[in-house]
Amino acid sequence: MTATPTIAPYGTWTSTITAERVAAGATPMSGLQVGGADGNDIFWLAGRAAESGRNALLRHHGAETQELTPAPFNVRTRVHEYGGGAYLVAGSTVYFSHFVDNRLYRLAIDEDNAAPVALSQGGKHRFADFVLDAAYERLIGVRELHGDDEHAQPVNTLCAVGFDGVETVLVEGADFYSSPRLSPDGRTLAWLAWDHPRMPWQGTTLWRADVQQDGTLSAPVEVAGGAEESICQPEWSPDGLLHFVSDRSGWWNLYRQRSVGEKIEALCPMEAEFGGPHWTFGNAMYGFRSAGEIICTYIDKGVSRLARLLPASGKLEPIANPYQEIRELRVAPGYVAMLAGSPTIALELARIDFTEEGVEILAQSIDDLPDEANLSVPINLEFPSNGRTAYAFFYPPRNADVAAPDGEKPPVIVISHGGPTGMAVNTLKLATQFWTSRGFGVLDVNYGGSTGFGRAYRDLLRGQWGIVDVRDCVAGARALVERGLADNDRLIIRGGSAGGLTTLCALTFHDVFKVGASYYGVSDLKGLDQDSHKFESHYNAYLVAPQPQAEALYQARSPINHTDKLKRPMIFFQGLDDKVVPPQQSEMMVDALRARGVPVAYVPLEGEGHGFRKGENIVRTLAAELYFYQRMFGLHDAAAPAPVHIDNLPD
């Protein structure tokens, strides 16, 4: 670090946060569980970018961390395409789904040199979200059965898989299932179900049924939920009371039912979110320390809080911790384990002991963090948009070694998150610091439709996808310009997946942004309906309109139909194995812009799906995107090699 910063234009700063560091330095972590033979082990999945994104199962045991599933095993499932819930810890045994063959495997984790043993037939059978039914020597989970016709939708059921490999369907008939949970005595099964055209954050139903002597279920009893009530995270307390999260009040809050037919009790009504959208299986935002004490996290205006809830009194007591995002938590009798982060803490695995002060860090997604002097800490930004308030995190440029010339305002990248039913969080990400350390500001927008702000805010996107999200991104950019935090002539918008549609619509139908980047973005809503997988095949009925009313709106809102209005330079990134947003969505836009003479670049990636996992591809995309922006704003080094070809560059 130099005593006197070098003066250089925004967007040209030299940074130690290289693309290679971004790719190699962040280990994805997910799937947190606690258990083991004595109940004190902590388990999680770690992504291996250098191994084509393979998910390895790790265990913290005593003072050591062990990898339980060596290559080639990839602990991952594609149920609902987004997966999650890919393994289960039951005593000294782990059951997991291997991504390559879709088979379930059993692994004795306390035996030396034990190898995984196949349990199910796999193939076209995918499994997720398992629970152990020890009395019947079986697992109960969600099974997704794919037929020979690749265009036919798969069939989802709740299915038991015996330790002998025999599969028995227990519940069927609904389009989707999740969260099978056995009561502590093993006598009652609870689960969630929902049907097209709803997504699970619109409306789900919670069911329960007794387990009969032959292992089948009695007639299911509906506990809660419906077409306009979203239930998530059903769990049983140690004394056998069914708990769950519902948004019946307008906020995802905690509830319980003492026994069948009894009144549903709200445990702690408040304008905060104790749950999130069910994109993946196995999510957990609360757990039981005892029958009378719940450890939970909730989201308040986009920021996570950790607390102790006493159901008998409804009292909620804060638990001190350094985090602002708590992605997952699991509770053991003596501690809580969390995957969490903050603006200065990259995602990490932390353990908080209930009898001691402080936090024990067990694993970090980034081992070598940049100096804090080079880290941009976001501002929680609220700004007016369409007569209401919208939210965002603003990261100003930050690099202790470089400063901009007096009076210069920075280029700003506005990010529209994916989903679109999702949210931006403020956990430290090298991918964001890559930009801020080079002199770009970053505005990460929680537009109307985002989660974490209650159902009314989430439902602002109902029928308004491509409208509300775009207006909020535009309003956020203008708010920065008005406050002197951004250069009006160097506003950029980028987004992935659903955020790609927001990006494309903002550039097509508005004139605020000068450049854009689309990562596997949606350009053709009708094509998305035709090509999408089962889980999202009716999502547009909520986001746009049900058929046949949607036809005119699809025409009006799909950027591919309005390329004559798109005059801004763009770069596109697309995984060629993407099953969620097929490559032709990006390729049609690229072809249209090439034909119209608009500067455009295209980076197709072999072996990548919906989201990029390979380290070399993360490096490639960041280098190409940076060069593209610099080239468009005249900031590039003309002598340096171009990492991507740009069509239609002016002479």
Side-chain angles (χ1 to χ4, degrees):
M1 189 180 300
T2 58
T4 303
T6 301
I7 304 300
Y10 285 119
T12 67
W13 297 354
T14 300
S15 172
T16 59
I17 305 174
T18 63
E20 289 78 10
R21 193 173 183 182
V22 174
T27 299
M29 297 193 295
S30 63
L32 182 63
Q33 293 192 30
V34 296
D38 61 3
N40 286 321
D41 293 347
I42 299 174
F43 302 78
W44 71 99
L45 297 176
R48 304 297 197 207
E51 301 177 48
S52 300
R54 181 180 76 87
N55 278 345
L57 177 61
L58 304 185
R59 170 173 69 160
H60 184 79
H61 176 68
E64 298 182 349
T65 294
Q66 308 163 323
E67 182 171 323
L68 299 177
T69 54
F73 285 104
N74 186 357
V75 184
R76 184 181 166 201
T77 176
R78 280 181 60 180
V79 178
H80 294 179
E81 295 299 331
Y82 294 103
Y87 77 97
L88 170 71
V89 178
S92 58
T93 304
V94 165
Y95 304 89
F96 68 89
S97 168
H98 178 31
F99 182 70
V100 174
D101 60 13
N102 292 321
R103 299 180 78 176
L104 295 180
Y105 286 78
R106 177 171 50 200
L107 174 65
I109 57 178
D110 290 327
E111 294 181 10
D112 292 338
N113 302 316
V117 177
L119 185 64
S120 70
Q121 60 182 295
K124 297 183 182 299
H125 298 225
R126 301 178 184 176
F127 299 92
D129 212 5
F130 337 113
V131 63
L132 175 67
D133 186 0
Y136 292 90
E137 296 186 322
R138 63 185 184 177
L139 300 178
I140 298 174
V142 178
R143 186 184 75 178
E144 187 173 86
L145 179 58
H146 291 251
D148 294 330
D149 183 358
E150 63 179 16
H151 299 293
Q153 290 191 338
V155 176
N156 295 71
T157 60
L158 288 185
C159 182
V161 181
F163 291 169
D164 58 2
V166 174
E167 299 176 14
T168 305
V169 173
L170 298 178
V171 185
E172 59 186 334
D175 289 322
F176 301 99
Y177 294 94
S178 77
S179 312
R181 300 292 183 262
L182 267 177
S183 59
D185 61 10
R187 296 179 180 177
T188 307
L189 183 72
W191 68 91
L192 297 175
W194 67 97
D195 291 303
H196 285 319
R198 293 190 301 277
M199 299 298 286
W201 44 85
Q202 292 174 257
T204 55
T205 307
L206 174 61
W207 299 86
R208 60 189 292 171
D210 293 334
V211 181
Q212 310 278 55
Q213 287 189 350
D214 63 355
T216 61
L217 301 181
S218 64
V221 175
E222 183 177 329
V223 176
E228 295 295 327
E229 180 183 359
S230 174
I231 309 287
C232 59
Q233 297 182 75
E235 298 289 349
W236 297 90
S237 62
D239 56 347
L241 303 187
L242 181 57
H243 290 63
F244 58 94
V245 174
S246 168
D247 70 351
R248 58 176 55 192
S249 70
W251 298 83
W252 269 315
N253 282 188
L254 274 163
Y255 296 82
R256 72 179 177 190
Q257 185 186 50
R258 293 181 177 273
S259 61
V260 176
E262 286 201 19
K263 182 180 178 182
I264 304 297
E265 303 175 51
L267 299 185
C268 182
M270 60 189 295
E271 292 187 351
E273 303 275 62
F274 290 76
H278 178 91
W279 282 105
T280 57
F281 294 96
N283 299 316
M285 290 178 65
Y286 73 96
F288 299 92
R289 185 182 177 191
S290 67
E293 183 177 341
I294 296 173
I295 306 299
C296 58
T297 180
Y298 61 90
I299 301 170
D300 178 17
K301 290 187 177 180
V303 175
S304 294
R305 314 293 184 191
L306 183 66
R308 176 184 293 106
L309 173 61
L310 306 177
S313 64
K315 186 177 181 180
L316 191 70
E317 302 173 346
I319 298 175
N321 71 95
Y323 303 111
Q324 293 190 27
E325 182 203 3
I326 300 175
R327 191 169 298 178
E328 298 182 35
L329 67 73
R330 295 288 178 174
V331 182
Y335 65 88
V336 57
M338 303 181 296
L339 291 176
S342 81
T344 56
I345 302 173
L347 187 70
E348 61 188 23
L349 173 59
R351 182 185 189 274
I352 295 180
D353 194 298
F354 294 129
T355 62
E356 300 177 5
E357 293 185 0
V359 177
E360 180 183 5
I361 308 306
L362 304 181
Q364 296 175 300
S365 62
I366 302 174
D367 293 324
D368 180 24
L369 284 174
D371 190 292
E372 282 200 27
N374 291 322
L375 295 180
S376 178
V377 176
I379 301 165
N380 287 20
L381 190 69
E382 298 184 12
F383 54 92
S385 180
N386 301 290
R388 55 175 174 78
T389 299
Y391 305 89
F393 297 113
F394 176 60
Y395 299 79
R398 179 81 181 274
N399 187 322
D401 296 328
V402 193
D406 289 342
E408 184 182 357
K409 294 181 175 61
V412 168
I413 301 170
V414 175
I415 298 177
S416 51
H417 64 70
T421 307
M423 67 180 293
V425 296
N426 63 2
T427 287
L428 171 63
K429 296 180 287 291
L430 287 185
T432 301
Q433 304 297 325
F434 174 88
W435 298 108
T436 56
S437 64
R438 284 169 170 74
F440 293 85
V442 173
L443 185 71
D444 208 354
V445 182
N446 272 314
Y447 49 75
S450 300
T451 56
F453 302 87
R455 176 137 190 170
Y457 195 81
R458 188 166 82 242
D459 278 343
L460 286 172
L461 212 58
R462 187 194 291 263
Q464 295 296 306
W465 189 26
I467 304 295
V468 165
D469 48 327
V470 174
R471 287 175 178 170
D472 285 359
C473 288
V474 168
R478 285 175 171 160
L480 290 181
V481 171
E482 290 169 1
R483 300 179 194 193
L485 299 173
D487 183 346
N488 185 63
D489 295 323
R490 293 189 292 176
L491 295 174
I492 304 162
I493 187 166
R494 77 191 292 264
S497 189
L501 177 75
T502 306
T503 293
L504 289 165
C505 286
L507 291 164
T508 302
F509 304 119
H510 299 265
D511 60 0
V512 171
F513 300 103
K514 313 306 178 185
V515 179
S518 171
Y519 280 74
Y520 37 88
V522 177
S523 64
D524 179 13
L525 290 170
K526 186 171 183 178
L528 188 64
D529 267 1
Q530 294 170 342
D531 297 325
S532 187
H533 55 100
K534 179 183 177 181
F535 181 66
E536 291 186 277
S537 60
H538 291 263
Y539 194 12
N540 281 341
Y542 168 80
L543 293 171
V544 183
Q547 296 289 2
Q549 301 97 305
E551 286 296 327
L553 293 174
Y554 281 4
Q555 177 69 27
R557 293 188 200 170
S558 294
I560 192 61
N561 299 323
H562 305 279
T563 56
D564 58 311
K565 298 179 181 178
L566 181 54
K567 302 175 183 178
R568 303 300 191 189
M570 285 203 66
I571 185 168
F572 293 80
F573 302 93
Q574 179 67 51
L576 296 180
D577 292 342
D578 196 335
K579 305 300 182 185
V580 179
V581 178
Q584 56 264 35
Q585 292 263 329
S586 292
E587 290 165 0
M588 289 189 296
M589 291 299 297
V590 172
D591 291 343
L593 293 178
R594 280 176 179 158
R596 293 192 56 251
V598 178
V600 62
Y602 180 46
V603 182
L605 298 171
E606 294 277 359
E608 294 283 16
H610 199 65
F612 305 152
R613 294 170 175 264
K614 298 179 182 180
E616 64 269 23
N617 287 335
I618 296 171
V619 171
R620 182 182 174 191
T621 56
L622 281 174
E625 188 177 356
L626 173 62
Y627 170 76
F628 189 81
Y629 296 156
Q630 291 178 330
R631 187 70 174 81
M632 294 304 104
F633 294 138
L635 301 172
H636 69 295
D637 179 356
V644 66
H645 173 72
I646 304 174
D647 289 307
N648 301 326
L649 279 175
D651 296 332

